[in-house]
Amino acid sequence: MKTDISRQLFDRARPLIPGGVNSPVRACRSVGTDPLFICEANGCRLTDVDGNVFIDYVGSWGPMIVGHRHPKVVAALSDALSRGTSYGAPTELEIELAEQVCAAVPSVEMIRMVNSGTEATMSAIRLARGYTQRNTIIKFDGCYHGHADALLVEAGSGVATLQIPGSSGVPSAFIAETLSLPYNDVDTFSEVMQKKGDDIACVIVEPIAGNMGLVPPISPFLETLRRLTEKHGALLIFDEVMTGFRVALGGAQQRFGIFPDLSCFGKIIGGGLPVGAYGGRREIMEQIAPTGPVYQAGTLSGNPLAMAAGIATLALISEPGFYDTLEARSHRLITGLAERAEKAGIPVSCAQVGAMLGLFFTDQPVKNYADAKTSDLSRFSAYYKGMRENGVYLAPSQFEAFFISSAHDDTAIDQTLAAAETVFSCM
Ligand code: KE4
């Protein structure tokens, strides 16, 4: 595959931008190759600067659930653009998107727009601390909630003691109030809540984990989080930045019938433009400035272009049958991949929830981050590079989920499965 121009651009980018990229995973370091520079996209396909075309399963890391350059999203954006780009003042578009999210997600009565998932979770945690007047928070190993200091934590040696900063530049004091526990581990969570529950401001969780690869919750994990946070007066925060509008119109909370106190969103609600949001019960959200003492602000929050793209996207995914089609195509893809890997004698552990998919190169069941780390990373790298050579663009990390859009038709899935058959046969 010709990648000369990508390589030239990468050489030009690296002296100017750390790693040549504006988000680390895009550098493709964990799969031992260089990134491709993309110049356009349409439907389920990306075209790189060398003219190579790929079936895209990254979808900008989730937002592109109706495919790239959907005519109705482009039309909505063009219409908004024809009137201006940003006002720093309220617009009707912000009300429309808020109405759509609150109508779709039962636990959300009030919502605040921000500009990224990181801002959404960071703000939700500050709100939970302000509302409960408590400081300690609980997250789960392998869950990623953006790069706010308090959330960059590696699980310590002792489950509920010594936490270790997950990044240089994060003072230990900034994560001293963050506990990180094993995902899907009801016993450990229950023990910690029994000891510390009355000091916990919030528990934040990816209701379906997508940042250690795809790891679904095992009942009664989420049920226990809901029960014990309620019992101890802590808030439950569902980080639905990835799962929101991805696994159901009402997100994972609608799919599982478990409703948090606060929810965080991003990705799909911006339709490919920078948007995040957090929302929940009115009596909690009214603690946010200017109606309450918890401060949070943003120059471009509720930007009209981003709102327009989000509104158009949410209108499209609200159409009858949208998720049934996505679910069926996702199921056909993941079962096809599993069959072809098995035929080639390659052990894989696959998962699919709605239009969120995951494939681990391990013969172990994957129920938490420790299991996920049993995956054969060199095999994943070979798979990633092979699929890219065969026209399929995957997330360049074993510890990511992959996504289908409504633009991934049967032809695209057949082509993907054919590529996988070729690649698995050479691994
Ligand atoms: P952003 O700040 O990147 O918009 O959102 C952070 C975030 C929060 N919560 C969840 C569940 C997320 O998945 C994310 C971001 N997801 C990653 C992909 N796993 C974004 C890709 C990247 O970091 O470049």
Side-chain angles (χ1 to χ4, degrees):
M1 178 184 292
K2 181 177 166 299
T3 58
D4 306 10
I5 302 173
S6 269
R7 195 171 307 112
Q8 288 159 21
L9 292 177
F10 195 38
D11 291 343
R12 211 172 111 202
R14 281 203 303 276
L16 298 167
I17 306 168
V21 293
N22 282 308
S23 199
V25 69
R26 303 179 193 170
C28 297
R29 290 193 172 195
S30 69
V31 288
T33 188
D34 291 340
L36 299 175
F37 280 65
I38 303 303
C39 70
E40 66 175 57
N42 196 28
C44 69
R45 286 176 171 79
L46 298 173
T47 304
D48 73 8
V49 291
D50 290 283
N52 302 305
V53 181
F54 304 88
I55 301 168
D56 176 22
Y57 288 98
V58 177
S60 182
W61 302 93
M64 310 318 290
I65 195 167
V66 296
H68 294 283
R69 222 190 320 166
H70 189 291
K72 290 188 174 176
V73 177
V74 172
L77 266 173
S78 305
D79 177 53
L81 186 59
S82 69
R83 292 195 296 278
T85 54
S86 182
Y87 313 116
T91 65
E92 185 178 1
L93 292 168
E94 294 156 80
I95 306 169
E96 278 181 50
L97 186 56
E99 285 169 341
Q100 284 175 303
V101 176
C102 293
V105 187
S107 68
V108 176
E109 296 177 320
M110 186 173 260
I111 192 164
R112 168 59 65 82
M113 299 294 167
V114 292
N115 298 284
S116 69
T118 295
E119 272 191 86
T121 58
M122 174 178 75
S123 307
I125 285 168
R126 183 182 308 132
L127 173 57
R129 285 172 158 162
Y131 179 77
T132 61
Q133 289 298 292
R134 300 174 183 178
N135 295 330
T136 307
I137 66 175
I138 290 176
K139 72 174 291 290
F140 295 91
D141 307 342
C143 287
Y144 174 70
H145 305 290
H147 62 89
D149 284 342
L151 291 162
L152 290 180
V153 171
E154 293 296 325
S157 51
V159 143
T161 56
L162 181 68
Q163 303 300 321
I164 305 162
S167 164
S168 171
V170 174
S172 299
F174 280 37
I175 52 112
E177 297 285 1
T178 305
L179 301 179
S180 193
L181 308 180
Y183 194 79
N184 273 326
D185 184 337
V186 169
D187 294 343
T188 302
F189 176 73
S190 303
E191 281 163 33
V192 171
M193 288 302 279
Q194 190 177 11
K195 289 182 191 137
K196 299 172 176 270
D198 293 341
D199 299 328
I200 301 297
C202 64
V203 174
I204 184 166
V205 68
E206 288 184 60
I208 301 163
N211 284 288
M212 50 177 127
L214 174 57
V215 179
I218 299 166
S219 184
F221 179 59
L222 294 179
E223 295 88 338
T224 306
L225 268 58
R226 178 63 287 178
R227 179 171 55 83
L228 292 183
T229 48
E230 202 132 22
K231 177 181 174 185
H232 290 278
L235 296 189
L236 179 58
I237 302 176
F238 273 10
D239 176 352
E240 296 230 40
V241 168
M242 189 185 289
T243 55
F245 303 94
R246 166 67 50 190
V247 299
L249 187 61
Q253 56 193 277
Q254 179 191 61
R255 199 174 175 103
F256 298 133
I258 298 169
F259 300 100
D261 301 296
L262 291 173
S263 302
C264 301
F265 303 98
K267 299 181 191 281
I268 288 171
I269 67 166
L273 272 72
V275 180
Y278 62 103
R281 293 206 318 264
R282 188 181 313 286
E283 47 114 8
I284 302 174
M285 289 301 293
E286 286 179 337
Q287 294 299 305
I288 288 286
T291 51
V294 181
Y295 192 70
Q296 179 268 313
T299 301
L300 292 171
S301 297
N303 170 271
L305 302 187
M307 296 295 103
I311 290 163
T313 299
L314 265 56
L316 288 163
I317 66 177
S318 303
E319 287 168 5
F322 180 86
Y323 287 96
D324 296 339
T325 306
L326 277 193
E327 188 94 33
R329 288 186 189 158
S330 299
H331 182 71
R332 186 160 88 81
L333 176 60
I334 203 70
T335 49
L337 290 172
E339 285 160 6
R340 286 156 179 78
E342 189 180 357
K343 194 173 126 191
I346 297 172
V348 292
S349 174
C350 294
Q352 174 237 330
V353 183
M356 235 172 123
L357 301 96
L359 184 149
F360 289 102
F361 286 94
T362 178
D363 56 4
Q364 300 296 316
V366 180
K367 57 189 181 311
N368 58 34
Y369 193 34
D371 295 343
K373 288 193 278 191
T374 68
S375 308
D376 182 332
L377 299 186
S378 58
R379 231 174 199 171
F380 180 83
S381 296
Y383 167 64
Y384 172 83
K385 287 181 270 194
M387 291 295 270
R388 201 166 92 170
E389 280 295 322
N390 284 273
V392 178
Y393 190 82
L394 298 171
S397 165
Q398 168 66 87
F399 305 113
E400 295 287 352
F402 58 101
F403 307 106
I404 266 192
S405 77
S406 51
H408 285 78
D409 56 16
D410 284 331
T411 304
I413 292 171
D414 291 340
Q415 287 171 350
T416 305
L417 292 175
E421 186 142 11
T422 303
V423 172
F424 286 146
S425 67
C426 311
M427 281 173 64

